[in-house]
Every structure is written in C-alpha cells, then in structure tokens.
Amino acid sequence: MLAELRWIAFVWQVMLESTLRTIALSTKGFMPEAEGDALYDAASRACAALPGLPIVEVGSYCGRSTVWLGAVARDHGVVLHAVDHHGGSEENQSGWEWHDPEVVNAHGRIDTLPYFRRTMQVAGLTGVVRECVGDSHAIGKDWKQKVSFCFIDGGHGRDVARGDYEAWSPHVEVGGLLAVHDVFERPEDGGQAPHDEIYQPALRSGKFVEVSNCGSLRVLRRVVV
Ligand code: SAH
Ligand code: MG
C-alpha cells in the first residue's frame, strides 16, 4: 500500500485543464506537449512556494507556451509578463529553418503580436497576461520586481541567450525557479546556446540547482541570493 502511494506521488503532475490544453496545442509554436505540461507543473510549484510574486516568460511567439503559464498565473492570482519583441528570432527569419510565412505582415516583417493577442483572447487569459513588447535584455535590465518563476525561451544566438541569462536570472527569488528551453547536451540534438550560455552558467554560479527536466526543458531552483 505504502509503495503504491509513493508511486502515485512520484508520477503525479499538476495538469492544465483540457480546454486550454487543446488551445495551447492548436497554437503555432515550438513547445512540445509533454514539455508544456512539465512547464505548467513547475510554474505551479513556484507560485505555491512564493505566493503573490509574478511570473515571466521570455519568448512568447504566438502564445503557445504562454497558455500553460497564463493558466498558472490565473490560478494563483498573479500576473504573467510575456516578453517578446514579436519580430521573431534569427531562426524564424525568411530562409531559415523555422520560418513560417504566415506570420509575415503586410510590410514583409515577422509580426507574431496579432497571433499572440488572438491566442490570449481565445484562451480567456488577457486579464492575467501582460504583453511586454520589446527587447528582452532592455526590459530585463530595467526590471524591479522579484519573480517566482522565469521561463527563458527567447533567441537562440549565443549573445542573445547570454544576455537573457544576465538580464533575467537575478530577478528569480530564492526558492523560485528558472526554466530554460531548448537545452541540448549534444550538438547533434540542437543548438548549444541555451545549454552553454544559460543552463551551465546558472549551475556554475552556485545559485541554482537542477530540480527537474523533460525533453529539452530544464528547471533550476534558486538556492542562494
Ligand atoms: N515559447 C514559444 C516559442 C518562442 S520562439 C512557444 O511556446 O512556441 C522565440 C521568441 O523569442 C520569438 O518570438 C522571438 O521574437 C523572441 N525573441 C528573440 N530574441 C528576442 C529579444 N532579444 N527580445 C525579445 N524577444 C526576442
Ligand atoms: Mg523553445
């Protein structure tokens, strides 16, 4: 009996309600299903540990991962700040691997903001998700508030990733979580910038320890100021 209970506790994961999950999964973007669920679970734990503190997402694109995180914010009565200049990362530009011509506007530029807004409206999350449209480094440098949870999924160039780590990791409160997407140990699995410029420096700093992972998602807890 005790063994069974332990097993149930081990596999238990807080899950997003099915309507919103369906909306998330039908939204353009790059967040795999299982990793979105793991993100939701981690953010829920951070909000429970540090009540009242906001959440930040760096890199929202069309709002796919934002649905999982916005629901957490709603359930915990906090705000999710969704940071993105909405001009797309390098790899989203025309001629690159992750280009989607549908998100190019009448002026020939990538603009995911209308898609993002639409996703938040359909998901009923406009009241808790605050658009922060601009450069993530500039916004992070001016940031004043501690956050319970920071999800970094912005640009994957080395300088951009390093800048996101430097601008945002200081704002994670002790006991809060820093989640990093697209962390690949081996170059053959994907670009190394999130691994080399965010994940490794966070661990090396001694301020963060790894608490969970799912696919390319790594979740780190801040343990010291
Ligand atoms: N989390 C999203 C995917 C994000 S893609 C999902 O679940 O699908 C990365 C996003 O980071 C892009 O929308 C791009 O516009 C944004 N981005 C890249 N570099 C940025 C920067 N320096 N400042 C702000 N946003 C940036
Ligand atoms: Mg990603």
Side-chain angles (χ1 to χ4, degrees), residues 12-219:
W12 179 258
Q13 201 184 32
V14 201
M15 284 280 271
L16 176 59
E17 72 239 37
S18 69
T19 348
L20 282 193
R21 211 161 165 274
T22 306
I23 292 170
L25 295 174
S26 65
T27 300
K28 281 179 189 295
F30 310 102
M31 181 52 62
E33 187 171 356
E35 291 167 50
D37 289 338
L39 187 68
Y40 178 86
D41 184 71
S44 301
R45 289 172 198 274
C47 286
L50 295 168
L53 293 191
I55 310 177
V56 167
E57 170 177 77
V58 178
S60 302
Y61 196 62
C62 298
R64 186 176 168 103
S65 49
T66 323
V67 175
W68 273 282
L69 292 180
V72 175
R74 178 202 61 194
D75 295 347
H76 289 267
V78 298
V79 171
L80 164 62
H81 299 272
V83 180
D84 200 309
H85 52 36
H86 288 284
S89 302
E90 200 179 16
E91 61 272 23
N92 303 129
Q93 305 305 319
S94 174
W96 290 71
E97 190 181 356
W98 303 105
H99 181 62
D100 177 351
E102 251 180 49
V103 301
V104 174
N105 69 14
H107 307 287
R109 294 194 175 275
I110 290 183
D111 184 7
T112 50
L113 186 55
Y115 288 85
F116 175 81
R117 283 203 173 136
R118 175 89 187 122
T119 306
M120 293 307 107
Q121 282 159 3
V122 171
L125 291 170
T126 51
V128 290
V129 177
R130 202 152 298 162
E131 289 168 8
C132 293
V133 181
D135 177 71
S136 57
H137 303 168
I139 295 171
K141 277 178 198 146
D142 288 346
W143 199 259
K144 299 283 183 284
Q145 230 180 340
K146 288 290 180 198
V147 306
S148 62
F149 189 81
C150 179
F151 173 49
I152 301 185
D153 191 21
H156 290 351
R158 281 193 180 266
D159 294 351
V160 182
R162 188 179 317 121
D164 279 339
Y165 171 69
E166 286 166 1
W168 289 101
S169 65
H171 305 307
V172 178
E173 180 64 288
V174 174
L177 301 175
L178 173 69
V180 190
H181 199 228
D182 302 303
V183 174
F184 299 106
E185 312 286 336
R186 306 179 319 159
E188 52 269 42
D189 295 330
Q192 296 291 284
H195 177 272
D196 294 354
E197 308 294 346
I198 307 174
Y199 171 72
Q200 288 283 12
L203 291 177
R204 269 202 311 268
S205 73
K207 293 179 178 169
F208 293 90
V209 296
E210 183 162 345
V211 290
S212 61
N213 65 77
C214 174
S216 74
L217 181 74
R218 298 286 178 280
V219 181

